C-alpha cells in the first residue's frame, strides 16, 4: 500500500458472545485454539467461516453494515457480502476501504459510492472518511451492527487496521451499536517486532502506539484498542464488541502455512512472501530507491540506479537469519525510478519462521548508506522514515553512523513493554 495517501481514517466492557467461537475481551482464549495444530492436518477456518457455518445467526434481527474487501471471503472464496445477502442477512450497507470493496482501485485510491450490481447493496466510499463522516454513513444507512472482515498483513503502516480503529470510534459516537470482528490469522505470524510509535509521529500510516510489526490479529487489536485507547480518543468504550475467532491457527504459523488461501489484500501484496518482508522493506518507501513497485515482486526486489553488486555481497556476508540476497536488475514500470534500470537485490526467503523483516531492512539500509554516497531519503528530509518507524530515532542513529545492531537494540525495551501491555488481549496460543 502506498504511503502517499489522499487521506485516511483520521477488554472490559465487551458483551458476552452468543455465537460459537466468539471471544470476550480481557480473556486469553484457549477454546478457540486448543485443537489448532499445523500437524493436525486441519485447514484454518476464519471467523467468517465459523459465523457462516452457524448460518450468520450472530446477525439475526440486526441491521448490518460490512467493512470488507476482496479478502473478506469464505473457504470456497465466496464473498461474505454475497453469502450474507443470499442467506437473508439484513445487509444495509458495505463500506469500502482503500482499493475498494471489490478491489478495483490502486494504492491511494478507492471506489466511488455506488450500488453493487450483484447484491443491490449500497457501497459507500469510506476511504479517507473521518470519524464524524463515517458515523454519518452509519446513521444514514440505518445500521445497528458494524462488521469488520479484512485480511491484515501485520505491519503498523498497512492501513486497514486504522480503518477499523476509525470505525470503532464512529460506532461509539453513534451509540448503541454492536461491533463484530470476523477474525483472520496474521499471515506473518504472532511475533511482535520493531520500534513502537511515539506521540508526535502519528499519521495515516500509524495512529496509535503499537510496534512496527504488531504480531496480533485484527480481533486482538480491536480488543486492545477498545480497552486502551478509546477513552483517550474522547469516545466511550464499545459496550458490544465481539470477535469471532479463527480456528486452527497458532502464533508460530507464518505465510507459507496459509499460501493456498492467499488473496492479495492490496495490488502490491501479491504473495505471502511479500507480506513476510513488508514490515521491513516497506521502509524503503522512505528512500530514493525503488521498493519494487511496478515489478512482479514488490517489496522483494529492492534497488536504485546507483547500486551495484557490492550490496548483495555485503548483505550475504552478514548471514541474516531466514533470508539470502540475489544480485538483481529490474526496471520498474511505475512509481519511483519508473522506466529506469535499477540494480540491487531480490530478498529470497529461505525460512519464513526465522525472518525478522525489520532487522533485515535495517541492515539493508545501513549497508547501502555505507557503500553509496548517492543514498538519500525520498526528497522530504527523512519525514517518511520517521512516520514509518514511529519516531525520529532511526534517522538520527543512521545519520550518526550507528551500526544495524545498535539501531535494533535501541527499540528492544519499548518492544518488550508493548508485548507485556498486549498480552491480556491475545486470543491464540504460541510464542510472542
Amino acid at each position: 500500500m502506498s504511503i502517499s495517501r489522499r487521506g485516511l481514517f483520521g477488554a472490559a466492557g465487551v458483551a458476552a458472545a452468543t455465537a460459537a467461537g466468539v471471544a470476550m475481551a480481557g480473556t486469553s482464549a484457549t477454546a478457540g485454539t486448543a485443537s489448532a495444530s499445523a500437524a493436525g492436518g486441519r485447514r484454518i477456518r476464519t471467523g467468517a467461516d465459523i459465523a457462516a457455518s452457524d448460518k450468520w445467526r450472530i446477525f439475526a434481527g440486526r441491521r448490518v453494515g460490512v467493512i470488507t474487501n476482496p479478502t473478506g471471503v469464505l473457504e470456497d472464496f465466496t464473498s461474505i457480502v454475497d453469502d450474507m445477502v443470499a442467506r437473508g442477512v439484513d445487509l444495509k450497507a458495505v463500506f469500502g476501504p482503500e482499493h475498494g470493496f471489490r478491489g478495483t482501485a490502486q494504492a491511494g485510491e478507492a471506489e466511488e459510492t455506488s450500488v453493487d450490481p450483484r447484491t443491490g447493496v449500497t457501497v459507500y466510499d469510506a476511504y479517507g472518511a473521518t470519524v464524524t463522516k463515517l458515523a454519518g454513513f452509519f446513521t444514514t444507512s440505518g445500521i445497528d451492527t458494524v462488521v469488520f472482515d479484512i485480511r491484515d498483513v501485520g505491519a503498523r503502516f498497512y492501513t486497514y487496521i486504522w480503518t477499523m480503529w476509525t470505525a470503532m470510534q464512529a460506532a461509539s459516537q453513534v451509540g448503541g451499536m454492536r461491533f463484530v470482528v470476523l477474525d483472520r490469522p496474521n499471515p506473518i505470524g504472532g511475533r511482535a517486532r520493531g520500534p513502537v510509535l511515539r506521540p508526535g509521529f502519528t499519521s495515516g500510516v500509524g495512529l496509535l502506539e503499537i510496534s512496527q510489526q504488531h504480531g496480533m490479529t485484527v480481533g486482538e487489536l480491536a480488543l486492545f484498542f477498545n480497552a486502551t485507547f478509546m477513552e483517550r480518543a474522547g469516545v466511550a468504550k464499545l459496550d458490544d464488541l465481539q470477535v469471532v475467532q479463527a480456528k486452527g491457527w497458532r502464533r508460530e504459523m507464518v505465510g507459507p502455512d496459509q499460501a493456498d488461501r492467499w488473496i492479495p489484500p492490496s495490488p502490491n501484496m501479491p504473495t505471502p512472501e511479500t507480506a513476510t518482508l513488508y514490515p521491513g522493506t516497506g521502509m524503503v518507501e522512505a528512500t530514493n530507491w525503488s521498493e519494487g513497485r511496478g515489478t512482479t515482486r514488490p517489496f522483494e526486489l529492492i534497488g536504485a540506479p546507483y547500486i551495484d553488486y557490492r550490496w548483495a555481497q555485503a548483505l550475504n556476508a552478514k548471514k541474516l537469519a531466514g533470508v539470502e540476497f540475489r544480485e538483481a536488475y529490474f526496471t520498474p514500470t511505475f512509481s519511483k525510478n519508473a522506466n529506469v534500470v535499477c540494480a540491487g537485490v531480490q530478498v529470497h526467503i529461505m525460512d519464513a519462521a526465522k525472518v525478522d523483516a525489520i532487522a533485515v531492512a535495517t541492515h539493508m539500509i545501513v549497508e547501502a548508506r555505507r557503500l553509496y554516497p548517492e543514498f538519500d531519503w525520498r526528497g522530504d528530509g527523512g519525514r517518511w522514515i520517521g512516520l514509518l518507524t514511529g519516531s525520529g530515532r532511526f534517522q538520527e542513529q543512521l545519520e550518526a553512523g550507528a551500526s544495524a545492531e545498535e539501531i535494533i537494540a535501541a527499540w528492544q525495551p519499548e518492544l518488550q513493554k508493548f508485548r507485556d501491555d498486549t498480552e491480556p488481549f491475545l486470543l491464540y496460543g504460541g510464542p510472542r
Side-chain angles (χ1 to χ4, degrees):
M1 303 177 78
S2 172
I3 58 173
S4 176
R5 313 295 192 189
R6 69 173 171 87
L8 188 61
F9 293 113
V14 177
T18 55
V22 179
M24 293 185 290
T27 64
S28 180
T30 57
T33 56
S35 62
S37 171
R42 298 186 182 184
R43 182 180 298 282
I44 293 169
R45 302 190 72 209
T46 67
D49 291 326
I50 300 300
S53 68
D54 196 40
K55 300 180 180 179
W56 301 110
R57 280 188 285 186
I58 190 174
F59 303 128
R62 311 294 297 194
R63 302 184 304 279
V64 177
V66 176
I67 302 169
T68 193
N69 72 354
T71 66
V73 297
L74 303 178
E75 189 173 24
D76 64 358
F77 296 119
T78 299
S79 165
I80 64 166
V81 168
D82 297 343
D83 194 69
M84 285 181 182
V85 170
R87 293 183 182 230
V89 174
D90 188 9
L91 187 60
K92 298 292 188 183
V94 175
F95 306 98
E98 183 179 7
H99 310 295
F101 160 49
R102 295 290 185 184
T104 65
Q106 252 292 351
E109 300 176 0
E111 298 166 343
E112 294 182 357
T113 296
S114 61
V115 175
D116 180 51
R118 177 175 297 176
T119 62
V121 175
T122 298
V123 181
Y124 292 83
D125 174 9
Y127 176 53
T130 62
V131 171
T132 299
K133 184 175 181 179
L134 195 56
F137 286 161
F138 292 169
T139 300
T140 298
S141 59
I143 65 173
D144 62 17
T145 300
V146 180
V147 180
F148 184 89
D149 185 14
I150 297 178
R151 179 190 287 279
D152 180 43
V153 300
R156 184 180 59 231
F157 40 71
Y158 204 62
T159 63
Y160 296 137
I161 59 174
W162 306 124
T163 302
M164 181 179 70
W165 164 237
T166 301
M168 291 172 65
Q169 295 173 81
S172 176
Q173 189 175 99
V174 172
M177 300 193 73
R178 175 182 293 175
F179 199 100
V180 179
V181 178
L182 302 177
D183 211 9
R184 293 180 180 271
N186 185 327
I188 63 174
R191 293 183 184 272
R193 293 186 169 104
V196 175
L197 184 143
R198 293 180 178 178
F201 285 83
T202 57
S203 72
V205 291
L207 293 175
L208 296 172
E209 294 90 331
I210 65 174
S211 61
Q212 190 166 315
Q213 180 174 326
H214 54 70
M216 300 174 76
T217 68
V218 290
E220 292 171 334
L221 283 171
L223 299 178
F224 177 55
F225 290 172
N226 194 50
T228 308
F229 297 111
M230 291 287 278
E231 292 178 341
R232 195 187 74 177
V235 294
K237 295 178 184 178
L238 294 170
D239 290 327
D240 194 354
L241 169 61
Q242 301 184 10
V243 175
V244 184
Q245 291 179 232
K247 304 285 188 182
W249 184 74
R250 288 180 55 84
R251 314 196 81 81
E252 64 267 27
M253 296 173 69
V254 294
D257 294 301
Q258 306 165 54
D260 61 342
R261 299 286 97 185
W262 185 259
I263 298 170
S266 58
N268 292 291
M269 198 63 60
T271 69
E273 289 77 17
T274 320
T276 299
L277 293 172
Y278 179 71
T281 55
M283 295 158 61
V284 174
E285 301 241 34
T287 73
N288 62 353
W289 308 343
S290 167
E291 64 278 357
R293 291 184 188 276
T295 77
T296 60
R297 288 290 183 175
F299 303 104
E300 297 175 55
L301 283 169
I302 311 291
Y306 57 81
I307 290 176
D308 61 16
Y309 66 91
R310 292 176 294 162
W311 195 34
Q313 287 182 345
L315 291 171
N316 280 323
K318 288 177 170 291
K319 300 187 183 302
L320 301 178
V323 297
E324 292 183 10
F325 301 88
R326 178 180 66 85
E327 178 185 343
Y329 300 85
F330 59 95
T331 304
T333 59
F334 63 87
S335 194
K336 287 182 292 177
N337 297 302
N339 302 312
V340 176
V341 176
C342 292
V345 298
Q346 181 176 353
V347 187
H348 287 264
I349 296 176
M350 311 308 292
D351 186 342
K354 294 180 180 179
V355 174
D356 181 340
I358 304 169
V360 168
T362 299
H363 281 279
M364 292 172 70
I365 293 170
V366 168
E367 284 302 303
R369 187 175 184 276
R370 179 182 66 84
L371 288 168
Y372 308 106
E374 302 93 333
F375 171 86
D376 201 356
W377 306 115
R378 54 179 289 171
D380 60 5
R383 173 177 175 268
W384 274 117
I385 195 63
L387 296 181
L388 291 174
T389 60
S391 76
R393 183 180 57 208
F394 186 98
Q395 180 183 5
E396 292 165 4
Q397 288 186 287
L398 180 73
E399 294 178 353
S403 68
E405 290 80 4
E406 289 171 329
I407 294 173
I408 294 165
W411 67 62
Q412 297 307 314
E414 68 204 48
L415 175 60
Q416 186 57 54
K417 184 178 185 304
F418 173 76
R419 289 170 175 156
D420 294 341
D421 290 346
T422 54
E423 184 70 28
F425 307 99
L426 303 184
L427 302 174
Y428 307 91
R432 190 75 198 286

